[in-house]
Amino acid sequence: MKPLLTIKGQNGQLTVYYNKLTISRKGLVAFSQHGMSGDKDIYIENITGVQLKKASTLFHGFIQFSFNGSAESKGGLEAARKDENSIIIKKSQNTLFIHAKSMIEDLMRKSKEQATTIVNQTSELDEIEKLATLKEKGYITEDEFNTKKKQLLGI
């Protein structure tokens, strides 16, 4: 799968795909803060929040991802350095990571919309099945069934 975006931070690299993001740890800084941990995939549909603390001239910033079951740190920059769901950034990277945050939030919205559409379609099919059963039992006529079916399908 081709990545949509890849950005290298201070202690890791963020790669964004259509359905997931990957945090990769390579290099001495990443090793000193995260040991031998491998790549971490977080699926877009599971992300519940993206926090971006922009870097300043004096202090690094970070991007952090929250998802169900995660235990992201809540202690600011120092805690984010060791958090497996965070990447440390410097001031020159602010614009890139602002763009990444926006892109990820758009993918999150699309994922939720897609899930809602699937649920609605399933609900409509369930209703049509119930109507078919009522028709078979003689509780509604063929015309009533067809009228209601067209309404549910938006025809």
Side-chain angles (χ1 to χ4, degrees):
M1 181 183 310
K2 185 178 178 194
L4 301 172
L5 178 70
T6 300
I7 311 171
K8 188 172 181 122
Q10 293 301 106
N11 67 339
Q13 177 176 291
L14 174 66
T15 304
V16 180
Y17 299 91
Y18 178 74
N19 65 335
K20 70 177 181 177
L21 57 90
T22 300
I23 299 174
S24 304
R25 308 286 182 187
K26 295 181 176 92
L28 187 58
V29 174
F31 177 76
S32 69
Q33 294 173 355
H34 295 278
M36 299 286 288
S37 62
D39 293 354
K40 178 168 187 170
D41 290 335
I42 305 171
Y43 287 89
I44 298 293
E45 65 192 32
N46 296 330
I47 298 173
T48 56
V50 181
Q51 179 184 0
L52 177 66
K53 170 75 169 107
K54 290 191 256 181
S56 67
T57 305
L58 298 176
F59 298 102
H60 286 101
F62 62 90
I63 189 166
Q64 182 180 60
F65 306 97
S66 304
F67 54 94
N68 291 332
S70 69
E72 66 277 348
S73 64
K74 304 206 186 304
L77 178 61
E78 285 309 309
R81 288 187 190 283
K82 294 186 179 179
D83 180 24
E84 66 181 19
N85 302 325
S86 300
I87 296 176
I88 305 302
I89 64 174
K90 57 186 176 182
K91 186 175 180 183
S92 63
Q93 298 170 311
N94 280 341
T95 303
L96 292 170
F97 279 91
I98 289 168
H99 175 68
K101 180 180 188 285
S102 176
M103 177 184 282
I104 293 164
E105 288 172 339
D106 285 344
L107 291 169
M108 289 167 60
R109 255 188 305 284
K110 288 176 185 173
S111 176
K112 284 181 178 56
E113 288 170 5
Q114 194 174 36
T116 301
T117 300
I118 290 169
V119 167
N120 288 344
Q121 287 173 344
T122 302
S123 177
E124 291 164 355
L125 292 175
D126 289 342
E127 283 297 313
I128 292 169
E129 283 182 26
K130 289 176 189 175
L131 288 169
T133 301
L134 292 174
K135 181 184 79 163
E136 287 171 11
K137 292 183 178 182
Y139 295 123
I140 62 173
T141 66
E142 182 79 28
D143 287 341
E144 291 170 324
F145 171 77
N146 288 330
T147 301
K148 188 64 177 169
K149 179 177 153 185
K150 286 178 183 178
Q151 286 175 348
L152 288 169
L153 295 175
I155 298 174

